[in-house]
Amino acid sequence: METLSTIWRESTSYYELCALFFAGSSGLIILGITLNRQVSRWKRSKLLRPHNLIKNSLNTIAALAPDIEEYATEIQEAQQHLQQVTQRSPGLAQFVIDRLIELHKNLSGISARVLKKVYDDLHLYRVSKQKLMNGNYATVIKGIQELAEMRRHEDIESIVGFLDYYHELVRLETRVALISLIPEDPLICLKSMKDPLTKWEEILIYNKLRKLSPEQVPAFKAYFDHTNPTVICYCINMAARFLQYDAIDLMTRLIFHKNDAISWQAVNALKMLEADQAANFILLLLQKTKSIKVRVECIECLAQIGDTKKLAPLFRKAIDKNKNSAVTKTLSKVFVNWDKSGAKKLSETRFKGKSKLMVSHFSNSLIH
Amino acid sequence: MKKILVCDDDEALISMIRFKLSKENYGEVVKVADGREAMHELIYHDFDMIITDIHMPYFSGLELVTFVREKLGDKTPIIVLSVEGIENTVTEAFQLGADDFISKPFSPNELSMRVKRLLSA
């Protein structure tokens, strides 16, 4: 009886051995790849299933909430699915929160209310609050945003503490969150604010103020002695916009403030309120101030509230003497409305300007 | 069977809109995430209605309205979704040929009613 080794030795040549080896190894590689693909497909399906379940459950809740009586069972079932999924892993709970917030942002009425209820009932606010304890500022910001978006008035106290956080962006996010969570007092963050007020905050506060009834609008003059110049400027502007005439006296004092931005804002506010009792003070400021921006604002303000007969000779002199183009331009514009000589003066200044422009145009080397 | 195209870069929202409209049996709902994809769909397929957001990647909702009305010469009803407080953009959308608009946040039932009204018109 032939042994295996004798068969092997007798019947296999070198080339056959190589072919056998390559066939075997390539078979193994193909098997490995197929197995790997199957495993990853299985993993993906395992991972996708809960995500799809979350998407479907939230869609069911959001879309059917307006007809909650008709679809009560379906909504309840969807909520149960969400509860089971969120308990499985923190990652899935975060996926639910992200999706829920996206829908809550875009939907109104019963849908928004039901989504908020889901957030509360599934205790997802705990996940958001945990982020506030994190050392990473970006995570803290995410937590604050989530609580603010889901209108968690119960957690205002946990958020307020971040007004003094070391990171500027966290402080900003906290203020924005508080403005949206406490709409009846949009100035709440201004009281002890040290950071400069951003344009975004200004718009947010103004939008909230517009929604208040006239009795609810706060007296902005209470903030005129604030330590933060941006807050003072904003409150002067708001006092003028909400026609708080009782603030005129304080505004008149503020026009002489050493900070040019405050001075400018006060003059601008007096112009908006057409406070003609402040005209003499503004004239005084016009003579004293060195800031061009404030001077221009003073001239525009005087043009609106000042006595034209008294101011005309002064302005005529000023046009002749002044060297700054911005001031001269404003003076001329104002003056043209007062008398004929003003119109003549304006056309003269315009002609001068034009001739200079023409000279520079023709002296351009490219033209010649 | 009616065919509706929903364009918005907010996946959660378009998924919900698709769910709602399918539930109400308005027909097949095709969702796309940006203006470019929407234009591609509109070139190769016919739709009975388009629901589009204004702010989208590649091409805005306004550009999409212009594309449908001017380039394709199509009169398919278009509903524009816009954020509250951009009245000028909404006016522009109407001038370009949009048929209706809904401001976000909105109620799913409101959307459903507007779709029904335009589809039956």
Side-chain angles (χ1 to χ4, degrees), chain A residues 59 63 74 99 102 106 108, chain B residues 10-11 15 20 23 105-106 108:
Chain A
N59 285 344
E74 285 182 47
R99 194 100 184 160
E102 279 305 314
N106 290 310
S108 64
Chain B
D10 188 339
E11 207 276 317
S15 172
K20 177 75 181 172
K23 184 92 186 166
F106 61 87

Side-chain angles (χ1 to χ4, degrees), chain A residues 58 60-69 75 79 82 100-122 124 149-154, chain B residues 105-109:
Chain A
L58 283 172
T60 309
I61 294 169
L64 306 181
D67 309 308
I68 198 159
E69 285 167 15
I75 291 172
Q79 196 166 336
L82 284 178
L100 206 138
I101 285 174
E102 279 305 314
L103 286 173
H104 188 262
K105 261 187 211 167
N106 290 310
L107 299 177
S108 64
I110 303 170
S111 298
R113 280 202 294 277
V114 172
L115 287 171
K116 153 100 175 108
K117 198 174 172 296
V118 170
Y119 181 79
D120 290 346
D121 290 350
L122 299 185
L124 293 170
E149 182 54 50
M150 295 317 292
R151 302 277 176 273
R152 285 288 300 174
H153 295 276
E154 303 88 331
Chain B
F106 61 87
S107 160
N109 274 11

Side-chain angles (χ1 to χ4, degrees), chain A residues 51-266:
Chain A
H51 285 81
N52 282 337
L53 186 71
I54 292 168
K55 285 179 188 175
N56 286 336
S57 304
L58 283 172
N59 285 344
T60 309
I61 294 169
L64 306 181
D67 309 308
I68 198 159
E69 285 167 15
E70 198 181 333
Y71 297 106
T73 337
E74 285 182 47
I75 291 172
Q76 215 168 354
E77 227 169 72
Q79 196 166 336
Q80 277 169 1
H81 287 312
L82 284 178
Q83 194 157 19
Q84 286 163 4
V85 171
T86 49
Q87 281 166 357
R88 261 200 247 171
S89 82
L92 289 174
Q94 189 53 52
F95 184 74
V96 174
I97 295 175
D98 292 340
R99 194 100 184 160
L100 206 138
I101 285 174
E102 279 305 314
L103 286 173
H104 188 262
K105 261 187 211 167
N106 290 310
L107 299 177
S108 64
I110 303 170
S111 298
R113 280 202 294 277
V114 172
L115 287 171
K116 153 100 175 108
K117 198 174 172 296
V118 170
Y119 181 79
D120 290 346
D121 290 350
L122 299 185
H123 302 294
L124 293 170
Y125 57 89
R126 286 183 188 163
V127 180
S128 303
K129 276 178 84 174
Q130 269 175 5
K131 293 188 187 109
L132 303 184
M133 322 280 188
N134 200 295
N136 183 348
Y137 77 91
T139 313
V140 176
I141 288 177
K142 192 156 170 48
I144 294 170
Q145 282 173 339
E146 285 172 5
L147 292 170
E149 182 54 50
M150 295 317 292
R151 302 277 176 273
R152 285 288 300 174
H153 295 276
E154 303 88 331
D155 297 317
I156 287 176
E157 276 183 30
S158 318
I159 298 173
V160 167
F162 290 94
L163 279 173
D164 299 318
Y165 198 76
Y166 77 93
H167 202 286
E168 191 188 336
L169 288 176
V170 176
R171 293 199 300 270
L172 172 68
E173 206 54 55
T174 309
R175 291 196 298 270
V176 170
L178 290 175
I179 293 165
S180 64
L181 282 172
I182 315 170
E184 63 280 3
D185 186 9
L187 304 185
I188 188 154
C189 303
L190 299 190
K191 281 160 195 162
S192 56
M193 190 173 157
K194 286 168 192 160
D195 296 316
L197 196 64
T198 61
K199 288 277 168 222
W200 174 237
E201 286 169 282
E202 288 184 9
I203 294 165
L204 270 181
I205 297 173
Y206 182 58
N207 274 337
K208 297 285 172 195
L209 286 167
R210 273 170 53 187
K211 286 174 188 163
L212 297 178
S213 63
E215 308 84 56
Q216 283 179 305
V217 175
F220 297 100
K221 63 179 180 182
Y223 295 86
F224 286 0
D225 57 352
H226 203 280
T227 48
N228 187 336
T230 57
V231 173
I232 301 176
C233 285
Y234 184 68
C235 288
I236 295 172
N237 188 15
M238 287 299 110
R241 279 186 188 276
F242 285 89
L243 303 174
Q244 295 186 348
Y245 290 99
D246 56 335
I248 287 177
D249 285 345
L250 282 173
M251 281 178 191
T252 313
R253 266 183 236 167
L254 285 174
I255 63 170
F256 297 105
H257 201 282
K258 58 185 174 188
N259 185 321
D260 285 338
I262 295 174
S263 177
W264 181 90
Q265 193 64 65

Side-chain angles (χ1 to χ4, degrees), chain B residues 58-88:
Chain B
Y58 303 114
F59 295 106
S60 73
L62 297 180
E63 283 170 310
L64 193 68
V65 175
T66 316
F67 176 76
V68 173
R69 295 288 182 254
E70 288 179 9
K71 293 266 166 65
L72 300 180
D74 198 348
K75 288 181 179 170
T76 310
I78 303 174
I79 297 179
V80 171
L81 301 175
S82 77
V83 186
E84 221 178 355
I86 51 164
E87 288 80 8
N88 289 345

